[in-house]
Amino acid sequence: GSAISYVRYLKYKSEKKMSATDDEPFRVLFVLGGPGAGKGTQCQLLSENLGWAHLSAGDLLRAERKKEGSELADIINSNISAGKIVPSEITVTLVKNAMMELREARGQMKFLIDGFPRSEGNV
């Protein structure tokens, strides 16, 4: 019905290619919910249907941890080893870097951020 029509409309709008410039603002949607709530599933569906890039904070942190010689990897690993939450500044840096890379590579300007912020302190 009308929900499907609206999704088609949003898909049509998102398919219109706009040239990405350095001063054009990103469009960001934070997808929040508890563990197992379906954030990743919903992001995947929205990404496939609307063309928004899906960035998972957890995936970005795991990828950074594997980079040899990464200063951020050392900080992430030491926090996790100590049983602490990774500082939000690090997660913000990783998300921002991923957004910038996708803008440069594909002109991507619309992002779904999954798994961040995790608490009021992260906002």
Side-chain angles (χ1 to χ4, degrees):
S2 62
I4 293 171
S5 297
Y6 186 65
V7 168
R8 285 186 184 139
Y9 167 74
L10 291 174
K11 184 176 182 180
Y12 167 77
K13 279 185 64 174
S14 70
E15 287 174 349
K16 288 185 176 181
K17 298 293 180 200
M18 296 175 56
S19 60
T21 62
D22 288 342
D23 59 347
E24 184 181 346
F26 290 122
R27 294 179 66 190
V28 179
L29 179 66
F30 293 93
V31 181
L32 307 174
K39 297 178 299 292
T41 301
Q42 294 304 316
C43 285
Q44 181 181 352
L45 290 169
L46 289 167
S47 180
E48 289 170 3
N49 287 297
L50 301 178
W52 288 50
H54 172 206
L55 298 176
S56 164
D59 289 349
L60 292 171
L61 287 166
R62 282 185 285 279
E64 189 66 28
R65 288 181 74 188
K66 294 177 183 176
K67 291 183 181 178
E68 287 194 34
S70 166
E71 204 172 290
L72 290 178
D74 294 338
I75 297 169
I76 294 166
N77 288 327
S78 65
N79 275 277
I80 291 173
S81 295
K84 298 179 183 176
I85 292 177
V86 175
S88 60
E89 296 82 10
I90 291 176
T91 307
V92 168
T93 298
L94 295 175
V95 169
K96 183 178 177 182
N97 290 346
M99 291 168 65
M100 301 290 272
E101 288 172 15
L102 287 170
R103 177 178 65 189
E104 292 296 318
R106 301 191 324 218
Q108 184 69 46
M109 297 301 291
K110 300 175 185 177
F111 298 91
L112 301 165
I113 310 297
D114 167 13
F116 184 82
R118 291 184 61 126
S119 68
E120 283 186 46
N122 291 154
V123 179

